[in-house]
Amino acid sequence: MLGRTLREVSEALKQGLVTPTELCQRCLSLIKKTKILNAYITVSEEVALKQAEESEKRYKKGHSLGDLDGIPVAVKDNFSTAGIETTCASNMLKGYVPPYNATVVQKLLDQGALLMGKTNLDEFAMGSGSTDGIFGPVKNPWSYSKQYREKRKQKSHGESEDSHWLITGGSSGGSAAAVSAFTCFAALGSDTGGSTRNPAAHCGVVGLKPSYGLVSRHGLIPLVNSMDVPGILTRCVDDAAIVLGILAGHDPKDSTTIQDPVKPFTLPSLTDMSKLCIGIPKEYLTPELSSEVQSLWSKAANLFESEGAKVIEVSLPHTSYSIVCYHVLCTSEVASNMARFDGLEYGHRCDTDVSTEAMYAATRREGFNDVVRGRILSGNFFLLKENYENYFVKAQKVRRLIARDFVNVFNSGVDVLLTPTTLSEAVPHTEFIREDNRTRSAQDDLFTQAVNMAGLPAVSVPMALSSQGLPIGLQFIGRAFCDQQLLTVAKWFEKQVQFPVIQLQELMDDCSSIFENEKLASVSLK
Amino acid sequence: MWTRRVWLGLRASAGGRRGFPSKADPQGSRRVTAELIEHLERLALVDFGSQEAVARLEKAIAFADRLRAVDTDGVEPMESVLEDRCLYLRSDNVVEGNCAEELLQNSHHVVEEYFVAPPEKHMEITPFCLWTPPSKHR
């Protein structure tokens, strides 16, 4: 049951083939079995079971709230959840219990979703590995997959089972791992420079970054106000579309949400490919790109062309500067956003009470890790009076050039861009930590962050396994507010490539109850 | 034909392609002076804590310096991707609030309905008069 799509499970719930409580208990049990992944910071067992009970009552009366009623979901721990600790994986907010729900969380709860817990991340969502939080790193479920382990047995001998575990990517690694390991059907992540798409690609799940302004950021603890977006992680494109349909829409509490009316939508099947134009940005072909990802990218482009779509090479001339531009804008906004953490109203407070300044400084030293402090200091440097024009304003001008590059490409008739999501498949943790966080982020965010600067929608779809048995995803980028069209193309692609299901039998004691198919043979979808 | 051209490109050796700035150390990285360190620490209320942190800042600055190569003459800074839309104003009615107790609960140090902060350093109490005696005027 846990391996099914959202729509299938929703149907099963409506038909009474499974109850929300059963579903909830299975997910909770699986969360315990996959504890080694460290995907969850808080497991809200009592809350989830209570929600399941209420959902069950609704189903018995035939009054289900919709497709998400009774469906286990998880939320990244930088979204405020009323009554449930929200830490951002930082000492600064350890023990902080918000008095309100983020709008997107509230929307999920209003639809009857079951909140399984808060997922792990890089501290304050700064990072591309989900390795730099106070609760420790998240492990990629594929490290324990049959597909990966079989390939490894051929190579190395005598190594301890767990020493070579792989990162999930980040910063929404916990959410990606939670979805990938079947502990929930959908998870919220956040995406500022690729933080949803990067771990999605590494964990073999779908990672959607909606258009900026489509989904409310109220309650998402902000990193970069002009780029942050709540992200959606699911096991298939259709599920992501369902969740987006629920989350999208104007929020009076977030003035950066557009006021255009938004309705939930279903994704049509693409039949006439001849009307579709796919763009391949040539500047994304970089020396650092692994040959396997390159080859899959090329294969995907060929696939579209062979089915009748127009596939053309396009240019995004300022690509080589976008990571630098992102670095300046990101650290500058971070410097501003992190200023709120002073120990007075919420969060960690140091013991010193000598003077306000001393208290602030000590609180922030104790509360933030090196990565966060480093970005705050860099940001403050770029915002200094003597640097403001040359760095911050300059970066804002370059941002316009980058956004314009995309507009020009879309205006020339391209519907959707096709690019890699990551440079390679997930790497072992031991290898990842050889470089510092800033360097890694600069490398890993390469294909993803320009999208945040332009505010466009993008989705990472898993395509195939690498020669090591690890997932590789590709990214589709759409026009602003054309999320539905983007997902339509992504859904078609997903159907073509038939990405394999992760085999996690070794990690779980009894796989039979998780992958049982008997009851579902009779589920008919309307 | 697209596939032939780009396929050849994709299979070409990496040497001819420059889509990404090289990772080699750029020349002329700015030296971060002790004065700057103190200034930044004061503004950010975050300390560097180590020489490594200073080195990291220098690298970050050097990295950011690459923006100089971009020609931005006549280009306006972009603050928001939604700049073409109007920021709406909602009506000036109270719709929520009255949650002082909830909010105070999250603080470590409150007194009645106040958040308590330690005093500013160098705080001096100086007497002041609203009225200046006539002898002080010319």
Side-chain angles (χ1 to χ4, degrees), chain A residues 182-425:
Chain A
F182 303 101
T183 63
C184 59
F185 288 86
L188 289 184
S190 66
D191 198 309
T192 305
S195 291
T196 291
R197 292 160 285 155
N198 176 295
H202 285 321
C203 293
V205 298
V206 172
L208 169 64
K209 177 213 164 292
S211 300
Y212 181 87
L214 193 59
V215 181
S216 171
R217 290 181 298 111
H218 174 75
L220 165 60
I221 293 166
L223 191 61
V224 182
N225 297 62
S226 68
M227 297 187 212
D228 286 350
V229 158
I232 298 166
L233 293 134
T234 54
R235 288 192 287 277
C236 70
V237 174
D238 213 33
D239 289 356
I242 294 174
V243 179
L244 180 64
I246 286 161
L247 298 184
H250 176 63
D251 180 16
K253 294 180 183 172
D254 178 357
S255 63
T256 59
T257 50
I258 56 161
Q259 292 190 280
D260 302 358
V262 168
K263 278 187 297 184
F265 51 86
T266 44
L267 298 177
S269 298
L270 261 186
T271 42
D272 186 5
M273 297 294 281
S274 65
K275 295 206 173 83
L276 185 65
C277 180
I278 306 283
I280 309 284
K282 63 181 185 190
E283 292 87 358
Y284 279 44
L285 177 63
T286 71
E288 288 82 3
L289 187 59
S290 86
S291 54
E292 274 191 295
V293 178
Q294 253 188 46
S295 143
L296 284 173
W297 184 21
S298 183
K299 200 169 160 190
N302 284 341
L303 174 65
F304 277 101
E305 200 172 49
S306 68
E307 292 295 320
K310 192 170 161 208
V311 182
I312 56 170
E313 188 185 77
V314 296
S315 176
L316 296 169
H318 296 91
T319 298
S320 60
Y321 298 105
S322 75
I323 192 71
V324 188
C325 176
Y326 174 74
H327 159 74
V328 174
L329 293 178
C330 177
T331 49
S332 301
E333 289 211 38
V334 159
S336 171
N337 274 321
M338 295 293 125
R340 73 191 67 199
F341 298 106
D342 55 17
L344 277 182
E345 293 167 65
Y346 45 75
H348 175 67
R349 179 176 177 142
C350 71
D351 291 326
T352 335
D353 242 15
V354 171
S355 72
T356 331
E357 268 192 36
M359 191 276 274
Y360 288 163
T363 295
R364 289 156 73 79
R365 185 188 320 125
E366 290 167 15
F368 293 140
N369 71 3
D370 285 346
V371 175
V372 177
R373 282 166 40 218
R375 291 202 193 187
I376 293 172
L377 289 164
S378 299
N380 273 286
F381 175 83
F382 299 133
L383 293 172
L384 287 176
K385 206 160 56 171
E386 64 259 30
N387 294 330
Y388 194 81
E389 275 294 322
N390 294 332
Y391 289 95
F392 184 66
V393 176
K394 179 80 179 180
Q396 286 187 313
K397 292 179 180 179
V398 175
R399 181 177 184 176
R400 182 178 296 283
L401 293 175
I402 290 163
R404 219 184 259 172
D405 280 354
F406 281 103
V407 169
N408 290 340
V409 158
F410 286 124
N411 281 347
S412 72
V414 168
D415 295 304
V416 163
L417 293 168
L418 170 62
T419 79
T421 310
T422 53
L423 289 170
S424 70
E425 77 239 319

